Amino acid sequence: MQLANPVQRKNLHHAMTTIRAKRANVVAEKADWEAMRVAGAQIKDRTLRHLDEYLVQLEESLQRNGVQVHWATDGDDANRIVREIVDERLAREDAVGAPREVVKVKSMATQEIELNEALEDAGVAAWETDLAELIVQLGHDRPTHFLVPAIHRNRAEVREIFLEEMGRYGKPAPDDLDTEPAHLAGAAREHLREKFLRAKVAVSGANFAVAETGTLAVVESEGNGRMCLTLADTLVSIVGIEKILPTFADLEVFLQLLPRSSTAERMNPYTSLWSGPAEGDGPQEMHVVLLDNGRTDVLADEVGRDALRCIRCSACLNVCPVYEKVGGNAYGSVYPGPIGAVLTPALRGTSSPIDRSLPFASSLCGACNDVCPVKIPLAELLVHQRNRVVEAKKKDTMPHAEAAVMASASWMMADHRRWSVATKSSGLAGRVLGRRMESFGPLPPPLSRWTNARDVKMMPTESFRDWWARERGGKR
């Protein structure tokens, strides 16, 4: 379905091409870029090896700073904790009829646990304040990219969304709104300003959490996150346990790796750090929810744990030929692209059809390996996840057509005589059918799942063995 959307494919191609070129330029400026990648990978690996110790240190540092720390085993647990904090804080409001709402900093962790939906079920509106996330929310859509969630939308589409939807949820867009980026951003600014000023609770994630000092960090390009982090009375931060860095000095490495790999900038326009409440300045009540939600299981996989190095930069998405064609929504997960094809089944398991299919949504070209700022061996991890899927299928009581096909191919290839007969038969079919067509068209089910989106070339008229025998005079 995503392949059949020409507007999306055009938008993605333009955006990916631009981002790749900009990233290459800023990375080329750093003579020590490869050394920084190695340093980033080593810091992350050291953290993961001693994660239990750093988690305790982070908790102690946060509590020393006056932050309330909560532990969440899964998404339901995290959502319950946040709902209780929000309910308790909003119950203190003296104003009758005060809106039950929170403002949010862009956060993939909250998308992962579907916090917005959980708050909505509890009668609390969660307003996205990042411009791209706002576009997605108002468009009743889903994010399709780590960095720019609305990358699949063009300016004309954004204008229509703002004109149709803004007035339903707050200050409407101007009637004469055009497609100029500055005017679209201005409409979003006016729409969000009243929400910033009246919100009592803000929700954020964190790019990094420093165990040594109890400092959380968020990097962004617009400043909307900083509005949330400073204006609300209460701040709740949901932080995946893999976001920890051991020391404050470690931030130096990642605050250079992340912007160059994501926004193709030398540094992020806004880098916000907070370590706890300060009287008269910013939120007076701070909570941190440390989220597991499958991360401990990934950590236990000695091969797959490398995926936990990820700093959500989106570099692997930007070079992936599969992602560029289908976009993020095709992955059925908040984490698209190569890292999503690895991380999602690692976190959720392979029990669902979408999770079983994700590791195969790759050409294994290895481009993602080359650009990852923390040197995650994504191509190798994709193969690792494919092996997990195959091994899981072996335990199913129901037979799989794929397994039967592979078993037949194995039997045929195990004996050169059987294989020779098969190739000769294939060549005969190619000579007969090749007169009328160069490739097979759509085939009936179940083969239609493959051929509806791919051209299957006609079988060759001559096998390699026959070509070799002809060219080398019968010597094999």
Side-chain angles (χ1 to χ4, degrees), residues 19-143:
I19 292 173
R20 286 197 296 266
K22 291 176 62 179
R23 177 198 171 276
N25 288 335
V26 295
V27 165
E29 296 174 352
K30 296 290 293 181
D32 60 346
W33 179 252
E34 287 305 312
M36 289 180 61
R37 292 179 70 209
V38 171
Q42 290 177 340
I43 292 169
K44 279 290 189 176
D45 284 347
R46 182 175 81 246
T47 305
L48 294 173
R49 284 196 303 270
H50 305 286
L51 187 58
D52 54 342
E53 300 172 19
Y54 289 126
L55 280 169
V56 172
Q57 184 183 12
L58 176 64
E59 179 185 36
E60 293 173 348
S61 298
L62 287 167
Q63 290 175 338
R64 189 166 55 246
N65 296 340
V67 177
Q68 299 180 49
V69 180
H70 312 263
W71 297 84
T73 57
D74 56 25
D76 291 340
D77 202 17
N79 289 335
R80 175 188 57 78
I81 292 168
V82 176
R83 282 198 306 266
E84 290 175 357
I85 295 170
V86 172
D87 284 341
E88 194 277 332
R89 178 62 187 84
L90 295 181
R92 295 185 228 154
E93 285 301 303
D94 296 329
V96 177
R100 289 175 55 81
E101 62 183 4
V102 301
V103 289
K104 289 183 68 233
V105 184
K106 181 175 179 291
S107 165
M108 300 198 71
T110 61
Q111 294 170 13
E112 176 187 330
I113 63 176
E114 298 183 339
L115 177 64
N116 288 14
E117 292 79 1
L119 289 175
E120 184 178 357
D121 290 343
V124 177
W127 302 119
E128 298 290 351
T129 64
D130 174 83
L131 176 57
E133 291 283 0
L134 176 66
I135 294 168
V136 170
Q137 186 176 43
L138 291 177
H140 308 286
D141 201 352
R142 295 183 64 85

Side-chain angles (χ1 to χ4, degrees), residues 237-360:
S237 302
I238 296 91
V239 183
I241 58 175
E242 83 283 12
K243 295 297 185 71
I244 293 181
L245 298 179
T247 70
F248 195 83
D250 294 328
L251 271 175
E252 175 204 358
V253 174
F254 292 94
L255 292 182
Q256 295 182 74
L257 287 172
L258 181 55
R260 282 179 165 82
S261 298
S262 57
T263 55
E265 296 170 299
R266 297 174 183 86
M267 65 180 293
N268 291 98
Y270 295 88
T271 299
S272 300
L273 307 176
W274 68 100
S275 298
E279 186 175 353
D281 182 18
Q284 298 301 289
E285 182 180 323
M286 292 186 178
H287 300 259
V288 170
V289 181
L290 294 174
L291 176 68
D292 188 329
N293 204 36
R295 287 158 175 79
T296 300
D297 294 333
V298 181
L299 185 65
D301 183 348
E302 293 185 0
V303 177
R305 70 173 57 161
D306 285 349
L308 294 179
R309 293 183 201 162
C310 179
I311 58 175
R312 310 293 193 266
C313 70
S314 77
C316 63
L317 280 66
N318 299 335
V319 299
C320 179
V322 175
Y323 175 86
E324 184 176 324
K325 292 296 185 292
V326 302
N329 290 339
Y331 289 80
S333 163
V334 66
Y335 302 115
I339 185 61
V342 169
L343 189 58
T344 299
L347 290 172
R348 301 196 309 205
T350 57
S351 58
S352 73
I354 184 66
D355 292 331
R356 286 195 297 270
S357 69
L358 284 176
F360 299 91

Side-chain angles (χ1 to χ4, degrees), residues 423-437:
T423 56
K424 288 183 182 299
S425 301
S426 174
L428 176 61
R431 286 191 293 273
V432 173
L433 298 176
R435 298 170 183 170
R436 291 178 291 172
M437 62 184 82

Side-chain angles (χ1 to χ4, degrees), residues 114-421:
E114 298 183 339
L115 177 64
N116 288 14
E117 292 79 1
L119 289 175
E120 184 178 357
D121 290 343
V124 177
W127 302 119
E128 298 290 351
T129 64
D130 174 83
L131 176 57
E133 291 283 0
L134 176 66
I135 294 168
V136 170
Q137 186 176 43
L138 291 177
H140 308 286
D141 201 352
R142 295 183 64 85
T144 190
H145 191 273
F146 287 2
L147 175 64
V148 274
I151 199 170
H152 57 300
R153 297 287 196 180
N154 58 35
R155 288 184 289 170
E157 292 175 305
V158 173
R159 173 183 176 273
E160 291 302 316
I161 290 171
F162 281 7
L163 287 172
E164 292 178 11
E165 300 291 336
M166 274 187 171
R168 301 181 184 181
Y169 305 102
K171 186 176 179 63
D175 292 335
D176 60 349
L177 181 64
D178 57 28
T179 60
E180 284 298 311
H183 298 160
L184 294 172
R189 185 179 298 113
E190 292 295 322
H191 178 79
L192 290 171
R193 187 56 54 92
E194 63 180 11
K195 300 184 188 302
F196 285 133
L197 294 176
R198 74 179 181 224
K200 301 302 180 183
V201 181
V203 176
S204 82
N207 292 100
F208 308 104
V210 180
E212 177 186 45
T213 59
T215 302
L216 272 61
V218 159
V219 297
E220 50 162 336
S221 298
E222 300 169 11
N224 295 328
R226 183 165 292 179
M227 298 282 279
C228 295
L229 297 171
T230 55
L231 292 179
D233 297 328
T234 300
L235 174 62
V236 185
S237 302
I238 296 91
V239 183
I241 58 175
E242 83 283 12
K243 295 297 185 71
I244 293 181
L245 298 179
T247 70
F248 195 83
D250 294 328
L251 271 175
E252 175 204 358
V253 174
F254 292 94
L255 292 182
Q256 295 182 74
L257 287 172
L258 181 55
R260 282 179 165 82
S261 298
S262 57
T263 55
E265 296 170 299
R266 297 174 183 86
M267 65 180 293
N268 291 98
Y270 295 88
T271 299
S272 300
L273 307 176
W274 68 100
S275 298
E279 186 175 353
D281 182 18
Q284 298 301 289
E285 182 180 323
M286 292 186 178
H287 300 259
V288 170
V289 181
L290 294 174
L291 176 68
D292 188 329
N293 204 36
R295 287 158 175 79
T296 300
D297 294 333
V298 181
L299 185 65
D301 183 348
E302 293 185 0
V303 177
R305 70 173 57 161
D306 285 349
L308 294 179
R309 293 183 201 162
C310 179
I311 58 175
R312 310 293 193 266
C313 70
S314 77
C316 63
L317 280 66
N318 299 335
V319 299
C320 179
V322 175
Y323 175 86
E324 184 176 324
K325 292 296 185 292
V326 302
N329 290 339
Y331 289 80
S333 163
V334 66
Y335 302 115
I339 185 61
V342 169
L343 189 58
T344 299
L347 290 172
R348 301 196 309 205
T350 57
S351 58
S352 73
I354 184 66
D355 292 331
R356 286 195 297 270
S357 69
L358 284 176
F360 299 91
S362 170
S363 64
L364 296 181
C365 66
C368 48
N369 290 17
D370 297 335
V371 298
C372 177
V374 287
K375 296 182 72 69
I376 300 174
L378 285 161
E380 289 81 354
L381 294 186
L382 285 162
V383 174
H384 175 64
Q385 289 295 339
R386 291 180 182 189
N387 181 66
R388 288 186 60 201
V389 172
V390 171
E391 292 301 316
K393 284 183 177 180
K394 291 180 181 179
K395 300 176 183 178
D396 289 350
T397 55
M398 293 293 293
H400 291 273
E402 180 186 25
V405 170
M406 291 299 175
S408 299
S410 175
W411 174 83
M412 190 177 302
M413 293 179 181
D415 185 281
H416 72 90
R417 290 164 296 189
R418 291 196 290 264
W419 182 244
S420 179
V421 171

